[in-house]
Amino acid sequence: NAGVTQTPKFQVLKTGQSMTLQCAQDMNHEYMSWYRQDPGMGLRLIHYSVGAGITDQGEVPNGYNVSRSTTEDFPLRLLSAAPSQTSVYFCASSIHEGGTDTQYFGPGTRLTVL
Amino acid sequence: GQSLEQPSEVTAVEGAIVQINCTYQTSGFYGLSWYQQHDGGAPTFLSYNALDGLEETGRFSSFLSRSDSYGYLLLQELQMKDSASYFCAVRDLDSWGKLQFGAGTQVVVTP
């Protein structure tokens, strides 16, 4: 299994540009999430999904859209990039079974908005 | 709503024991998780406690007291490679997909 994959690894955008961060998992997990992490900070939830066709907002959803058309893919779209969106973005998928609750993270996308 | 509190930094020498405390407030509680993150890397799962008591996994142990809304991660026989940030996290029962993280504790291991 590849686990959780994210592309691209690095991205530089100009203010106002839009782009999509890709996320895929091959573990058949129902739950997927997007987080952003600013330097020296914790993880803040942007959007999450509890299954194909179902998404909901996290703590910091403004400026981002998501969709979940398949179990495997959960892309994050930046509508009009702003310097405040410079951050590291992590996608994660999770499974809750057998008395455990484990979230698997992708390697992250490092985004800079100029 | 939910909130989690943990210390921002802990420094210890190799071979020592470090305890990272986490207190939480949540409208519905299912369990407490711990994640490790090295600089420049992604968080990785360490442990999960749904019931009161101690869970041991090698040099790392995690404890939960549901009545006190409190847990801790214990790092024993510290090694240089344990220098990292450690996050506690709780899942919101009202929104099962949401896993909320604390701000993280940076552990610095010195020779």
Side-chain angles (χ1 to χ4, degrees), chain B residues 92-106:
Chain B
D92 183 350
L93 270 184
D94 293 334
S95 304
W96 180 243
K98 293 172 71 169
L99 186 66
Q100 178 154 346
F101 287 81
T105 299
Q106 184 170 7

Side-chain angles (χ1 to χ4, degrees), chain A residues 31 33 35 37 40-43 45 48-50 56-59 90 94 96 99-108 110, chain B residues 30-31 33 35 37 39-45 47-48 50 85 87 90-91 94-104:
Chain A
Y31 299 94
S33 305
Y35 297 87
Q37 185 175 37
M41 304 287 286
L43 296 150
L45 183 65
Y48 67 100
S49 168
V50 298
D56 205 347
Q57 297 181 348
E59 302 171 70
F90 289 103
S94 59
H96 323 282
T100 189
D101 180 3
T102 305
Q103 187 143 251
Y104 297 86
F105 285 83
R110 282 144 184 83
Chain B
Y30 189 79
S33 305
Y35 288 79
Q37 185 181 30
D39 275 349
T44 57
F45 173 80
S47 68
Y48 174 73
S85 291
F87 297 90
V90 295
R91 195 172 292 278
D94 293 334
S95 304
W96 180 243
K98 293 172 71 169
L99 186 66
Q100 178 154 346
F101 287 81

Side-chain angles (χ1 to χ4, degrees), chain A residues 42-108:
Chain A
L43 296 150
R44 291 188 292 169
L45 183 65
I46 305 172
H47 285 285
Y48 67 100
S49 168
V50 298
I54 307 169
T55 64
D56 205 347
Q57 297 181 348
E59 302 171 70
V60 289
N62 292 341
Y64 307 94
N65 273 354
V66 291
S67 59
R68 184 99 181 269
S69 55
T70 66
T71 298
E72 293 77 22
D73 299 298
F74 191 42
L76 177 73
R77 183 165 178 82
L78 278 70
L79 308 173
S80 177
S84 61
Q85 293 179 304
T86 293
S87 190
V88 180
Y89 291 83
F90 289 103
C91 177
S93 70
S94 59
I95 188 166
H96 323 282
E97 66 179 15
T100 189
D101 180 3
T102 305
Q103 187 143 251
Y104 297 86
F105 285 83

Side-chain angles (χ1 to χ4, degrees), chain B:
Chain B
Q2 300 172 174
S3 69
L4 298 100
E5 295 208 4
Q6 53 182 126
S8 59
E9 184 171 324
V10 173
T11 300
V13 297
E14 271 186 299
I17 299 173
V18 157
Q19 178 173 316
I20 303 169
N21 298 321
C22 175
T23 57
Y24 58 86
Q25 288 184 319
T26 179
S27 54
F29 178 78
Y30 189 79
L32 183 70
S33 305
W34 290 93
Y35 288 79
Q36 178 192 57
Q37 185 181 30
H38 287 100
D39 275 349
T44 57
F45 173 80
L46 285 178
S47 68
Y48 174 73
N49 294 69
L51 303 176
D52 286 356
L54 191 69
E55 294 278 344
E56 297 180 74
T57 308
R59 294 186 297 113
F60 294 179
S61 303
S62 58
F63 172 82
L64 175 66
S65 169
R66 296 173 69 113
S67 60
D68 294 323
S69 297
Y70 162 78
Y72 66 72
L73 181 69
L74 194 69
L75 315 180
Q76 301 180 78
E77 300 171 23
L78 273 179
Q79 301 176 8
M80 296 298 291
K81 66 178 181 180
D82 298 330
S83 290
S85 291
Y86 294 82
F87 297 90
C88 58
V90 295
R91 195 172 292 278
D92 183 350
L93 270 184
D94 293 334
S95 304
W96 180 243
K98 293 172 71 169
L99 186 66
Q100 178 154 346
F101 287 81
T105 299
Q106 184 170 7
V107 172
V108 178
V109 182
T110 60

